[in-house]
Amino acid sequence: MDNIFQFAMTLVATPIVIFWIFMAHHYGEKYQSIIQTINPEEYRYPELFGVGFGLLELIHYDMTSAHATVQIKKISEIKGKKYAAYYYYVMLGEKISYAVTILPFIFLLAALGNSKEALLFGAVIIVLLVWYMDEITKDKLTNRRDAILRDFPQVLSKLTLLVNSGMVLRDAWKNVAEKGNGILYEEMLQTCEEMKQGVAEIDAYQNFAERCEVKEIKRFTSSVIQNMVKGNAELTKFLREMSDEMWNEKKNMVKRKGEIANSKLLVPIMLIFIGILIVIMVPMFTSM
């Protein structure tokens, strides 16, 4: 029975290895122009990605599907709208390539060790690897949005002060953008660049909201545009009110982050406590 299991694992691994070699050679050459553009510091072993790109081609993966559109939109916040589809394609190729590369090794290890548990363990490793790569993207997106929200109250305060002193919003926007550092300020500078190139001010603010993809920013730009249409009569009042609101929100956000950090500390504390209990209780029971 054991020999049958080992033979079956070897039999499954062999065609996968042959398939991998073919995909790596054929599609590695075909997609060489894309592979050469991949940053090896950001994506490990890009020379393997031809396997994933080839499989995406074979299954005719639809880059315009609902799932793909949602993912591309998320990536556009991190990498920019222009190259979002490219990075999504690279990330897909990365995950598929890693999974297919690891797969034959799992079957071979299961055969060599004559262990069904090794097969299950390998499957779990693949799932965790794909999940981990997705989590990296989610963390980057969360960190970006948090960074925007951290700077937003200060930006609003500066805009309020400048507009209240008589400066028009467009000039106040440029003044604040040029004197700050961070993701939010970079997006504001891009808005200034768009207006400089002839994009209508209202459209530039709308593009700014789409790039940031934070509900507070969207509400801010929506109200700013409404005030511009009405003639800026209540713009200063709105900026002042939203500035106060966002400072309170920032305090609450810091408080929530602290609570989350404290809850994460509970896990290692509990593990240490259990370990201490084991150290104390085991000698007591063994001496009885």
Side-chain angles (χ1 to χ4, degrees):
M1 188 70 178
D2 291 341
N3 290 334
I4 294 175
F5 175 77
Q6 289 178 308
F7 177 74
M9 292 298 97
T10 306
L11 192 65
V12 172
T14 302
I16 295 176
V17 171
I18 295 171
F19 175 73
W20 186 94
I21 293 171
F22 166 76
M23 296 292 288
H25 175 71
H26 179 71
Y27 288 101
E29 290 183 355
K30 184 175 182 179
Y31 288 96
Q32 190 62 33
S33 58
I34 296 178
I35 292 171
Q36 288 178 343
T37 64
I38 299 172
N39 183 0
E41 294 182 1
E42 185 174 6
Y43 302 97
R44 299 293 181 181
Y45 309 110
E47 59 273 11
L48 302 177
F49 291 8
V51 176
F53 296 151
L55 277 170
L56 288 171
E57 181 180 324
L58 290 176
I59 66 174
H60 302 289
Y61 183 79
D62 185 8
M63 290 286 287
T64 61
S65 65
H67 175 75
T69 302
V70 170
Q71 296 304 313
I72 290 171
K73 187 176 181 181
K74 290 179 180 178
I75 295 170
S76 68
E77 291 184 51
I78 305 168
K79 299 293 187 179
K81 196 172 183 179
K82 186 177 181 180
Y83 299 107
Y86 161 80
Y87 280 106
Y88 176 62
Y89 193 74
V90 168
M91 289 175 185
L92 275 179
E94 177 189 32
K95 287 187 281 190
I96 295 172
S97 299
Y98 289 163
V100 176
T101 301
I102 294 171
L103 195 59
F105 287 102
I106 293 171
F107 286 111
L108 289 173
L109 287 172
L112 291 172
N114 193 24
S115 171
K116 295 178 182 178
E117 289 77 11
L119 193 63
L120 178 62
F121 179 74
V124 172
I125 289 295
I126 290 177
V127 171
L128 288 175
L129 179 63
V130 173
W131 171 82
Y132 175 71
M133 286 188 284
D134 285 336
E135 285 300 305
I136 290 174
T137 303
K138 289 180 182 178
D139 286 344
K140 287 180 180 178
L141 191 59
T142 300
N143 292 337
R144 173 186 165 83
R145 291 176 177 176
D146 286 347
I148 288 173
L149 284 175
R150 280 197 303 271
D151 289 337
F152 192 39
Q154 189 173 11
V155 166
L156 279 173
S157 296
K158 292 176 181 178
L159 284 175
T160 303
L161 183 64
L162 293 173
V163 172
N164 193 44
S165 67
M167 188 178 291
V168 296
L169 179 62
R170 180 170 180 161
D171 293 340
W173 186 283
K174 183 180 179 181
N175 185 289
V176 173
E178 291 177 341
K179 294 181 179 179
N181 293 308
I183 296 171
L184 182 57
Y185 294 99
E186 290 172 4
E187 294 296 346
M188 291 176 71
L189 281 172
Q190 187 171 338
T191 302
C192 295
E193 187 62 28
E194 286 182 356
M195 289 188 282
K196 186 178 178 181
Q197 292 176 359
V199 177
E201 188 173 355
I202 289 177
D203 292 336
Y205 293 144
Q206 287 176 335
N207 294 339
F208 167 75
E210 289 177 5
R211 290 195 305 273
C212 293
E213 200 63 33
V214 175
K215 64 179 182 179
E216 288 83 0
I217 297 287
K218 287 187 173 182
R219 185 160 65 89
F220 161 71
T221 52
S222 176
S223 298
V224 164
I225 290 169
Q226 289 178 11
N227 275 281
M228 289 175 65
V229 172
K230 294 177 182 179
N232 292 328
E234 299 180 358
L235 181 59
T236 303
K237 180 182 176 183
F238 160 73
L239 289 173
R240 189 183 300 112
E241 290 176 352
M242 189 161 191
S243 176
D244 294 339
E245 181 183 334
M246 289 310 303
W247 276 113
N248 290 329
E249 178 61 29
K250 184 174 182 177
K251 293 176 184 176
N252 293 331
M253 185 175 71
V254 171
K255 185 178 179 181
R256 288 195 299 269
K257 291 285 184 181
E259 291 172 351
I260 292 171
N262 289 334
S263 64
K264 287 181 178 179
L265 286 173
L266 287 175
V267 176
I269 290 171
M270 288 299 297
L271 290 174
I272 293 170
F273 178 69
I274 292 170
I276 293 171
L277 281 179
I278 292 172
V279 171
I280 295 172
M281 299 298 291
V282 168
M284 291 175 60
F285 282 107
T286 53
S287 62
M288 290 176 65

